[in-house]
Amino acid sequence: MQNNRSIGDITQLAKDFSLSTAPPPANSLFWEMWNQNIVQQNAKATLNLSYLQGINSGLLDPNVYGGYNVADAYYCYNGADDYKIAANAAPSGSALEAFLLKKYDGYQKYNATFPGTWHVASAADVTPPEITKAYSQFEHNVVTQYDPVYAIIVMLPCEYLWAWLASQMNTPSPQNVYGGWITGNNDPSGSFAMGNFLVEYMAANPGKIDQKLANNIYAWANFYEYANFSAATNAEIVDPASLGLTPLPDFVPS
């Protein structure tokens, strides 16, 4: 029940590019983005959603869990295309390309399980919540309209938020059918490797990452993660404008 959207085992990639999987430095962009007030508030709100608390207690309706995964297929099918676009735009042989290709390959493998597990063969087979479509479009806009390094930024909330959520949950009992979700996601090493990559990337490419833009992209993606979980139980979704989120330059999220 691990986050099948995550980049997965990062061991070989980290070794190939000498990247640490330990927490990034305290003053790094990784923590700057995560420690934004808007992100912290959103993370806590996400943890308190009935969907996540149902996983924590083991009492989540299996129909709701299944519905979330079917809707998420829409995001994942489109996500594979997005990360392929980003990888093609990254410098050949770079750590950035390796991260993006690994993400793409992970999506491809996960998407291949949908027809057999959920009887869904493409994004066109899914009728997702509007917020899921908006999240998918947001990611596509970031990947196609900004430098490929921002694909790492938009990816990170999915990678780290899920690990943080799992770390805040109870040690699952043997009776908790969702125990594998908790234990499988309680591993931030992949996101930490990305954070350490950003440290090295920024040192080698001064000014290449606009930190204000990065913070905004990260905050939006974090919000969409919250909203996607909310939609699983038809919970009311907070207006992003009320949180202080502002549209990114050059496009307006759906």
Side-chain angles (χ1 to χ4, degrees):
M1 285 187 180
Q2 188 175 12
N3 176 6
N4 288 299
R5 289 206 246 120
S6 80
I7 200 166
D9 184 4
I10 209 80
T11 305
Q12 189 59 51
L13 192 157
K15 181 179 179 181
D16 289 344
F17 293 95
S18 301
L19 291 169
S20 171
T21 57
N27 64 347
S28 65
L29 180 61
F30 180 95
W31 295 116
E32 178 184 324
M33 293 187 294
W34 172 251
N35 288 327
Q36 295 176 85
N37 287 335
I38 190 172
V39 171
Q40 288 294 299
Q41 292 170 14
N42 188 82
K44 292 171 185 174
T46 305
L47 179 63
N48 289 328
L49 289 171
S50 61
Y51 183 91
L52 276 305
Q53 287 306 308
I55 285 177
N56 193 19
S57 66
L59 300 177
L60 179 66
D61 183 342
N63 291 317
V64 172
Y65 181 80
Y68 173 91
N69 281 275
V70 171
D72 206 44
Y74 177 91
Y75 176 91
C76 294
Y77 277 119
N78 288 316
D81 294 337
D82 290 336
Y83 284 101
K84 183 66 171 177
I85 290 170
N88 287 339
S92 179
S94 66
L96 176 57
E97 180 192 47
F99 272 118
L100 298 174
L101 284 175
K102 184 164 177 55
K103 185 77 166 179
Y104 166 73
D105 289 341
Y107 269 125
Q108 289 289 82
K109 290 175 183 176
Y110 180 43
N111 292 346
T113 70
F114 280 121
T117 303
W118 303 109
H119 307 289
V120 171
S122 71
D125 293 336
V126 183
T127 305
E130 288 301 312
I131 199 68
T132 304
K133 291 194 285 187
Y135 188 9
S136 179
Q137 186 63 52
F138 173 80
E139 182 180 87
H140 178 73
N141 289 345
V142 169
V143 166
T144 57
Q145 297 184 30
Y146 295 109
D147 187 276
V149 73
Y150 289 101
I152 297 289
I153 306 298
V154 79
M155 184 199 308
L156 264 173
C158 173
E159 298 291 335
Y160 186 64
L161 177 64
W162 286 51
W164 179 84
L165 291 168
S167 75
Q168 302 302 302
M169 294 182 180
N170 301 324
T171 300
S173 69
Q175 291 74 39
N176 187 342
V177 69
Y178 303 108
W181 192 102
I182 299 171
T183 57
N185 286 306
N186 194 5
D187 178 10
S189 60
S191 60
F192 286 167
M194 284 183 239
N196 287 314
F197 159 74
L198 289 173
V199 171
E200 294 189 8
Y201 183 91
M202 293 173 73
N205 302 275
K208 187 74 171 180
I209 295 179
D210 180 327
Q211 290 180 230
K212 182 178 180 181
L213 175 60
N215 281 322
N216 201 9
I217 288 173
Y218 188 99
W220 268 106
N222 207 273
F223 166 78
Y224 278 124
E225 286 291 331
Y226 147 80
N228 218 30
F229 282 126
S230 296
T233 58
N234 297 313
E236 184 177 356
I237 298 170
V238 174
D239 179 1
S242 72
L243 300 174
L245 283 165
T246 56
L248 301 189
D250 301 326
F251 72 91
V252 179
S254 303

